[in-house]
Amino acid sequence: MSNHNSLLIMKTLKLDNSPMLGSILAGLLPGLEVLENGQASREKEYVWYGILTNPQELQKAAGQEKQMQSSVKGKGGTIRVRQTIAMGQQRFTLTAKAYSGRGDAREVSLPVSVDMHEIFKALSGESMDKIRYTFPIEGTELKWEVDVFIDAKGNPKQWVKIDLEVPEETNEFPPLPVTLSEMIFGGNEEYTPEQKAKLDQLYATVFTNKF
């Protein structure tokens, strides 16, 4: 594997379910039990898509985790189960989202088992696998989340997705944490037909691995 690709791949994590490590992880992630408590919350999120032009910029991230998720789509939203591996621990989370507009949703999350994850993989026939890099935004409580999609062998793909979750709608955004080419961003407007067609193609053929 080239040095270019190795920059995008998270180091292999040894899973350890020891009570001590679990307690340490809980202390480092104080909001986890709030996010995965089965109660509905509102999410307003802005999303950028593009080709990552300088992978070395990812080295500035404050944290990273590996995510593998499978989703079942409905008329007004999605239900997914995600496996997350971070800091030597793994967890499985079911999240249901009901959309009221692009990037605007009510969602509910709760912990589930590895068996539920396997069932969702069987139902969907695909998995969205990625390394998520986190960049805190200075002077705020906000953070950038940069998703580098990987294939079934762990090799990075060209296109990435950048999320910014905010408390309310806005038209002002800080500079992106990484450099993109061929960027797609709709802001508060609808995507153009050309942008929508490209995103449909990316989600169908690039962002997910079929099996």
Side-chain angles (χ1 to χ4, degrees), residues 63-81:
Q64 65 185 54
E65 61 186 25
K66 186 175 183 179
Q67 299 179 349
M68 294 152 285
Q69 65 190 50
S70 295
S71 303
V72 176
K73 298 175 177 62
K75 180 180 179 180
T78 62
I79 302 176
R80 70 160 188 250
V81 174

Side-chain angles (χ1 to χ4, degrees), residues 125-190:
E126 63 185 28
S127 179
M128 180 181 287
D129 304 331
K130 55 194 177 180
I131 308 298
R132 171 165 288 180
Y133 296 84
T134 304
F135 296 81
I137 299 175
E138 187 176 355
T140 76
E141 295 183 357
L142 305 178
K143 62 183 178 181
W144 294 108
E145 295 176 336
V146 180
D147 289 341
V148 176
F149 297 93
I150 56 177
D151 64 22
K153 295 182 179 180
N155 300 311
K157 302 179 182 183
Q158 279 191 312
W159 282 82
V160 302
K161 174 175 173 279
I162 302 178
D163 297 341
L164 177 64
E165 188 171 338
V166 296
E168 58 187 5
E169 185 175 299
T170 182
N171 288 304
E172 298 182 0
F173 306 98
L176 293 175
V178 296
T179 307
L180 302 179
S181 64
E182 300 186 33
M183 186 171 66
I184 299 174
F185 175 62
N188 293 308
E189 306 299 326
E190 293 296 324

Side-chain angles (χ1 to χ4, degrees), residues 31 33 49 61 74 82 87 91 94 97 100-101 121 148 156 158 167 173 178 194-195 198:
E33 69 278 7
Y49 302 88
R82 172 185 289 168
M87 300 172 64
R91 68 182 189 272
L94 183 148
K97 292 190 178 187
S100 55
K121 286 175 63 177
V148 176
Q158 279 191 312
F173 306 98
V178 296
E194 293 77 15
Q195 288 175 324
K198 180 62 177 180

